[in-house]
Amino acid sequence: MSYGTILKVSGPLVVAEGMRDANMFDVVRVSEKRLIGEIIEMRSDRASIQVYEETSGLRPGEPVESTGEPMSVELGPGLIGSIFDGIQRPLDDIMKIAGNNLTRGIEAHSLKRERKWIFEPTVTVGTEVVGGDIIGTVQETDVVLHKIMVPAFVKGKIKSIEKGEFTVTDTVAIVDTDKGEVEVQLMQKWPVRKGRPFATKLAPNKPLITGQRVVDCLFPIAKGGVAAIPGPFGSGKTVTQHQLAKWAEADIIVYIGCGERGNEMTNVLNEFPELIDPHTGKSLMERTVLIANTSDMPVAAREASIYTGITIAEYFRDMGYSVALMADSTSRWAEALREMSGRLEEMPGEEGYPAYLSSRLAGFYERAGRVIALGSDNREGTLSVIGAVSPPGGDISEPVSQATLRIVKVFWGLDAKLAYKRHFPAINWLTSYSLYVDTLKKWYEDNVSPEWVQLRGRIMSLLHDEAELDEIVKLVGIDALSAGDRLKMETARSIREDFLHQLAFHEVDTYTSLNKQLLMMKLILSFYDLALEALNNGGNIEAISSLAVREQIGRFKYVKEENIYDEFDKIMKNLNAQMQESIVKEEE
């Protein structure tokens, strides 16, 4: 413990003197109000403290007390379904204490101390264990089995373990180690700025299936991968993240509302408990942790929320789960870094952001990955990170977007023009990219179809050809194009409107399996191939473009999963017949 007094107050930055015994990143309590802060700079006995609550009314001379511990999160049963603020205070408990107005300095345990959980041991007395080994389970929700792990770096023999009902602070097992006995509770603590250890990092060679066609087909993300969704206001960042949270093949969702507007976070808090999880039929909250840190909360707390969220996500990854973390948005966090850097009078980088912006962003995204967790059972866990970026005016040349793009492997660039045309998801297929395409190629060929990569390549090629032809059309009109080029334009329009456009609120179209995506690509490209053959045999482009079967191809996305193969055969039969008919009519 270290005690000092306030020397200076500058917004969320408080400078305290007499803190010689304190350490960097220690949590401190500031003034009689006991506001929560964290030491971010030490000079002699002066500590610069980032305060995570409103500092108005503080004055020099007030006491500052260091807890001697770094900012940490409580990890244990009770995380799932909870809604925390940026420093892991449970908002439901705070509301019971303070009502609707958040009182400064309020303290509440992150995990409820009074609630009892049924602990089922999976090991017996005398078992040799190492850090990360699972010694028992707690059924946290109907969906999530919470695995109780031996704390990292502990190695020894189980001296005692009990089955029964326990609170998170009760001792459920004792491990006899070389350095003495270690008590294991249902809960453990971990410092948020330090990544949780793992045994081995694996190559990200399995896709995170999302059911969103533009993502799975054109710009896939791997399990354990990192992606960025930059886009201007109204382009659909939040809806896209909601869709990914709902449909992605992840066991656990951690959603961080980092500095977004209060109304957006309110929508999340209202919608998520009502969303039915399509994988389980239960509420989506039964496998979700929400961190709500709105724009009217102190700027500094945005940084804490990012680290709090990813530490919780790593904890579930270590259990062997596939975890998807949504950060909405990292731009607000970067703005918090810029404000604190300015108040610390550091040398500014581009547009006033600190020079270490890139390294902080990299440190965050590097905590994603597909890993073999600690422990003796070689269990595999993945943590995929999807960060929204909110560049002012949608200009991705600004520093946060550029720093993010240098780190992430997937870029889903949202386009305001597409959004205004009501084309959702508004991911621009000309500017977006995925660097996982080559590493995921084998998985798609082995698990979906050997044709997948070739079909994807043809789809992308047609879309790029359309962009080039569109420039000519704008100059001289569509009549100047050859029949073959007009067919390319028609096929690309079908790709855009029938394949890439996806209705998030349609009960069937909201999610598309990989097999259905494959059939959709085949239908559109079969039309192109047969039409090209028909043109070469004297067919008319006008007649081919107006075939009735094109309506059936367009409506295939609304066909239920159990009927897709029958409907595919029916459409292909009609396509062949109508294409042949169009050639015969032309010859007559």
Side-chain angles (χ1 to χ4, degrees):
M1 299 285 271
S2 178
Y3 297 91
T5 54
I6 294 176
L7 183 68
K8 181 179 90 169
V9 180
S10 173
L13 176 72
V14 169
V15 178
E17 58 184 354
M19 304 286 288
R20 192 175 298 278
D21 298 331
N23 299 308
M24 278 285 285
F25 301 122
D26 274 2
V27 173
V28 296
R29 292 288 182 173
V30 179
S31 84
E32 282 92 359
K33 295 185 177 70
R34 293 184 62 75
L35 309 185
I36 297 177
E38 184 182 23
I39 296 175
I40 56 172
E41 186 180 79
M42 288 292 298
R43 290 184 182 177
S44 184
D45 71 336
R46 290 189 181 181
S48 295
I49 300 162
Q50 180 170 249
V51 181
Y52 293 126
E53 300 182 74
E54 177 60 50
T55 58
S56 59
L58 298 191
R59 61 185 188 277
E62 288 194 74
V64 174
E65 175 191 327
S66 168
T67 61
E69 295 180 349
M71 175 73 75
S72 302
V73 286
E74 294 182 353
L75 303 168
L79 286 171
I80 299 291
S82 295
I83 302 168
F84 300 107
D85 72 356
I87 45 180
Q88 213 205 4
R89 293 182 301 186
L91 294 181
D92 57 340
D93 285 352
I94 288 175
M95 197 171 91
K96 287 173 191 170
I97 300 167
N100 290 332
N101 296 317
L102 192 62
T103 310
R104 290 193 293 171
I106 197 165
E107 294 183 51
H109 292 297
S110 302
L111 299 179
K112 293 174 174 51
R113 296 297 193 261
E114 69 284 354
R115 182 167 179 182
K116 292 200 167 181
W117 301 91
I118 298 171
F119 173 70
E120 294 277 351
T122 54
V123 297
T124 55
V125 172
T127 306
E128 293 279 350
V129 293
V130 295
D133 275 350
I134 294 164
I135 58 168
T137 59
V138 168
Q139 192 68 49
E140 186 169 359
T141 67
D142 290 344
V143 177
V144 176
L145 184 69
H146 198 110
K147 299 167 186 176
I148 307 302
M149 297 173 286
V150 176
F153 316 120
V154 171
K155 183 179 180 182
K157 190 180 286 187
I158 297 287
K159 183 179 180 183
S160 71
I161 189 164
E162 293 180 63
K163 175 182 177 179
E165 289 193 359
F166 300 95
T167 65
V168 290
T169 53
D170 289 339
T171 298
V172 295
I174 295 173
V175 180
D176 206 354
T177 72
D178 295 342
K179 298 174 182 175
E181 293 181 353
V182 174
E183 295 183 348
V184 180
Q185 303 167 332
L186 294 184
M187 177 188 84
Q188 52 180 271
K189 284 190 169 186
W190 191 266
V192 296
R193 292 180 182 271
K194 182 181 176 185
R196 284 178 61 87
F198 49 82
T200 315
K201 202 157 197 172
L202 304 173
N205 55 18
K206 296 177 183 175
L208 180 68
I209 307 302
T210 65
Q212 310 308 300
R213 295 187 289 268
V214 67
V215 172
D216 292 342
C217 175
L218 300 190
F219 312 112
I221 178 175
K223 276 190 175 179
V226 289
I229 316 181
F233 172 75
S235 59
K237 292 188 295 294
T238 304
V239 172
T240 304
Q241 286 198 318
H242 284 201
Q243 279 293 91
L244 296 174
K246 186 176 179 182
W247 291 107
E249 269 188 2
D251 303 310
I252 308 289
I253 302 294
V254 179
Y255 191 99
I256 308 169
C258 174
E260 288 304 283
R261 287 174 297 282
N263 60 334
E264 286 194 353
M265 242 1 261
T266 303
N267 287 342
V268 171
L269 301 183
N270 287 334
E271 284 173 17
F272 268 52
E274 292 178 10
L275 285 176
I276 299 301
D277 183 355
H279 302 296
T280 63
K282 310 276 185 184
S283 166
L284 188 62
M285 284 302 289
E286 296 220 354
R287 61 182 182 94
T288 302
V289 181
L290 285 179
I291 295 170
N293 193 64
T294 60
S295 53
D296 59 346
M297 291 180 176
V299 169
R302 298 175 191 176
E303 185 178 9
S305 63
I306 288 284
Y307 290 114
T308 297
I310 200 155
T311 307
I312 291 171
E314 284 176 329
Y315 174 64
F316 284 106
R317 174 208 70 190
D318 291 347
M319 293 182 200
Y321 288 124
S322 169
V323 185
L325 180 138
M326 315 288 164
D328 186 13
S329 81
T330 54
S331 294
R332 310 286 174 243
W333 168 37
E335 285 162 10
L337 289 178
R338 177 167 63 180
E339 174 160 349
M340 293 309 298
S341 175
R343 291 184 185 279
L344 286 168
E345 298 177 5
E346 295 172 338
M347 182 70 75
E350 194 180 351
E351 289 188 26
Y353 287 100
Y356 47 78
L357 172 67
S358 293
S359 63
R360 288 284 177 91
L361 283 167
F364 168 68
Y365 282 110
E366 277 170 9
R367 289 171 72 170
R370 175 171 163 245
V371 305
I372 298 294
L374 290 182
S376 47
D377 59 353
N378 282 335
R379 64 184 175 277
E380 183 184 304
T382 61
L383 168 52
S384 313
V385 175
I386 297 160
V389 184
S390 309
D395 175 19
I396 63 164
S397 64
E398 55 88 42
V400 182
S401 300
Q402 288 302 307
T404 304
L405 291 182
R406 284 194 286 271
I407 300 157
V408 300
K409 298 286 186 74
V410 180
F411 170 67
W412 295 320
L414 296 178
D415 191 327
K417 289 179 183 175
L418 286 174
Y420 293 145
K421 289 177 185 173
R422 295 292 180 265
H423 179 107
F424 292 104
I427 293 173
N428 187 318
W429 48 87
L430 299 174
T431 57
S432 302
Y433 61 81
S434 168
L435 301 182
Y436 293 118
V437 170
D438 289 339
T439 53
L440 298 177
K441 177 181 172 183
K442 188 173 185 317
W443 188 95
Y444 278 113
E445 288 176 342
D446 293 348
N447 294 277
V448 188
S449 166
E451 300 174 89
W452 180 276
V453 176
Q454 181 207 359
L455 293 172
R456 178 199 176 273
R458 292 188 64 196
I459 291 271
M460 288 298 293
S461 178
L462 282 165
L463 289 169
H464 282 282
D465 287 349
E466 182 205 28
E468 291 175 9
L469 292 169
D470 199 41
E471 294 298 318
I472 298 170
V473 170
K474 284 174 183 172
L475 287 171
V476 292
I478 197 160
D479 294 334
L481 296 181
S482 66
D485 284 344
R486 285 181 67 180
L487 177 60
K488 277 186 180 177
M489 295 284 284
E490 279 296 319
T491 310
R493 183 168 70 86
S494 184
I495 293 168
R496 286 189 285 106
E497 295 178 2
D498 303 334
F499 185 71
L500 298 182
H501 181 267
Q502 191 166 357
L503 293 171
F505 302 107
H506 189 282
E507 60 177 351
V508 176
D509 197 34
T510 185
Y511 177 88
T512 308
S513 70
L514 293 184
N515 288 329
K516 187 174 176 183
Q517 290 182 40
L518 178 74
L519 297 182
M520 289 175 78
M521 287 193 285
K522 279 186 174 180
L523 282 175
I524 294 168
L525 292 172
S526 295
F527 165 77
Y528 177 72
D529 293 337
L530 290 169
L532 201 57
E533 192 182 324
L535 284 177
N536 293 334
N537 291 327
N540 178 279
I541 185 64
E542 302 286 355
I544 290 169
S545 299
S546 56
L547 290 179
V549 74
R550 294 196 67 201
E551 176 73 15
Q552 290 176 279
I553 293 172
R555 298 196 68 78
F556 184 73
K557 61 184 175 183
Y558 304 125
V559 175
K560 289 186 177 175
E561 196 66 34
E562 59 267 25
N563 303 326
I564 56 173
Y565 292 104
D566 291 342
E567 189 67 20
F568 175 78
D569 293 339
K570 184 176 158 189
I571 294 172
M572 282 300 293
K573 192 176 175 183
N574 288 347
L575 179 60
N576 281 293
Q578 290 181 28
M579 200 65 77
Q580 198 61 42
E581 206 176 292
S582 73
I583 298 171
V584 172
K585 277 185 182 174
E586 194 62 33
E587 287 173 353
E588 291 172 357

